[in-house]
Amino acid sequence: NKAGLILAAQKKNLKIGIILFQDTNPFFREVLEGVEAKAKELAGYNCQVSIRQVPFDESCQLQAMDSLFAEHIHGLVISPYNAPCIAEKINQFAELGIPVITTNTDIPSRRMAYVGSNYYLSGQTAAGLLGRMSFGETKVGILTGSSHILCHTERIAGFQDIIRRRYPHISITGILENHDDDKESRQQVEMLFTRRPDTNALYFTAAGVYGGCQAVLSLGLSGKIKIFTYDNVETTAELVRNGVITATICQQPFVQGYRPLELLSRYLLEGAVPEQEFYYTDI
């Protein structure tokens, strides 16, 4: 009975914490839109949503978790930095009866469920595309966000797995971190081509795509190399239309914001335990 639920919820005065990475990566703006859409629905149930956005830094994320705990949240949705201290903090929340759902990227812990892409499969998909759309000897440089973000490392692992098993003509010339920053990404791509001018393909596992592609354009390599990326943010879509990017793989960012909040609020309001551990978005 919806009226009964609303009445009961209003008495609970629930508060849910959300921790996402900063929206300097445009992808997270769409995740945030999903969060805000669900938060608007929950407002009628007297359920508050408190949002924090932090950089790729474990201490910043720990501070955000402590801050939300001090606000007496009843549940947490988090895109976790992959570090033991973050897993331990999630476990502490669970022990205190504060359920946690991870979104966008996961971490081995006592979290209740995960919502996001199957990143290993996503990496395999990228390798399959490169294998089918390249001919002759292919040397690919990998640009990743951070080795401490599980989804980034899983995409690389899936990519390497398929290349190793199916495409002997493809080899990797380097794996460089850009911390989802366009300026750093441009510098890393320029450095890669200086060191390995034989590179004829790029694989971006995270953000920094625009900056990296600006390096490709300035070096006069557009159309001469294959470039594979993720997400359909405006700048990436434009580069696809202009033929700079060969293909981009999408992962439903709005769902990654909306669904974890939906699952957690249902658990807190109705006692409905998530039916599964992994809620994978479409690749």
Side-chain angles (χ1 to χ4, degrees):
N1 182 298
K2 189 174 181 181
L5 271 176
I6 292 172
L7 220 76
Q10 287 175 340
K11 292 176 183 177
K12 289 183 178 180
N13 195 26
L14 290 174
K15 178 177 275 192
I16 296 174
I18 309 283
I19 300 177
L20 301 175
F21 293 117
Q22 288 178 330
D23 57 9
T24 47
N25 177 352
F27 169 84
F28 281 103
R29 293 173 202 162
E30 294 188 57
V31 177
L32 190 58
E33 286 174 12
V35 169
E36 290 171 342
K38 187 61 188 178
K40 190 175 179 180
E41 294 176 17
L42 291 172
Y45 292 83
N46 196 27
C47 179
Q48 298 179 59
V49 176
S50 187
I51 301 168
R52 302 282 191 280
Q53 291 185 269
V54 299
F56 291 149
D57 181 272
E58 61 187 278
S59 61
C60 289
Q61 193 156 88
L62 282 173
Q63 287 172 14
M65 295 176 83
D66 288 337
S67 170
L68 288 169
F69 180 77
E71 289 185 19
H72 306 292
I73 58 169
H74 298 88
L76 176 68
V77 173
I78 183 171
S79 294
Y81 185 89
N82 191 29
C85 61
I86 301 299
E88 184 181 340
K89 183 69 75 172
I90 289 173
N91 294 342
Q92 288 174 6
F93 274 44
E95 287 166 11
L96 293 167
I98 303 171
V100 178
I101 292 180
T102 54
T103 189
N104 180 252
T105 186
D106 202 8
I107 190 170
S109 62
R110 290 178 58 189
R111 55 99 177 103
M112 180 180 286
Y114 162 71
V115 178
S117 181
N118 180 332
Y119 289 101
Y120 196 86
L121 183 60
S122 186
Q124 290 182 316
T125 302
L129 286 172
L130 175 60
R132 288 165 173 76
M133 299 174 78
S134 61
F135 305 93
E137 190 174 15
T138 301
K139 296 185 181 294
V140 57
I142 298 176
L143 277 296
T144 191
S146 170
S147 58
H148 294 286
I149 305 300
L150 190 62
C151 65
H152 300 174
T153 56
E154 283 288 285
R155 279 174 172 166
I156 293 173
F159 185 83
Q160 290 175 319
D161 173 39
I162 291 297
I163 283 175
R164 188 166 47 248
R165 291 196 284 119
R166 297 187 184 177
Y167 300 112
H169 70 285
I170 299 175
S171 59
I172 295 169
T173 57
I175 301 175
L176 305 171
E177 291 187 17
N178 63 20
H179 303 96
D180 277 9
D181 181 80
D182 280 314
K183 184 178 179 181
E184 188 174 352
S185 189
R186 179 169 185 159
Q187 292 169 347
Q188 293 284 34
V189 170
E190 288 172 349
M191 184 174 66
L192 174 67
F193 280 105
T194 299
R195 292 178 177 176
R196 294 297 303 266
D198 56 337
T199 300
N200 56 8
L202 291 175
Y203 170 45
F204 289 85
T205 74
V209 172
Y210 180 78
C213 286
Q214 291 309 301
V216 170
L217 288 164
S218 68
L219 292 168
L221 295 172
S222 179
K224 299 176 183 178
I225 65 171
K226 303 290 184 182
I227 300 177
F228 297 86
T229 68
Y230 289 97
D231 304 321
N232 194 33
V233 300
E234 186 178 343
T235 51
T236 297
E238 183 66 21
L239 289 163
V240 172
R241 285 192 291 269
N242 292 339
V244 179
I245 292 174
T246 311
T248 194
I249 299 167
C250 303
Q251 53 169 328
Q252 298 183 299
F254 184 90
V255 173
Q256 293 189 31
Y258 187 95
R259 184 171 290 169
L261 193 49
E262 179 182 48
L263 292 169
L264 193 53
S265 61
R266 283 199 65 207
Y267 175 75
L268 293 169
L269 292 170
E270 306 169 38
V273 178
E275 295 177 357
Q276 57 204 62
E277 181 181 357
F278 298 99
Y279 288 81
Y280 289 130
T281 52
D282 292 338
I283 297 174

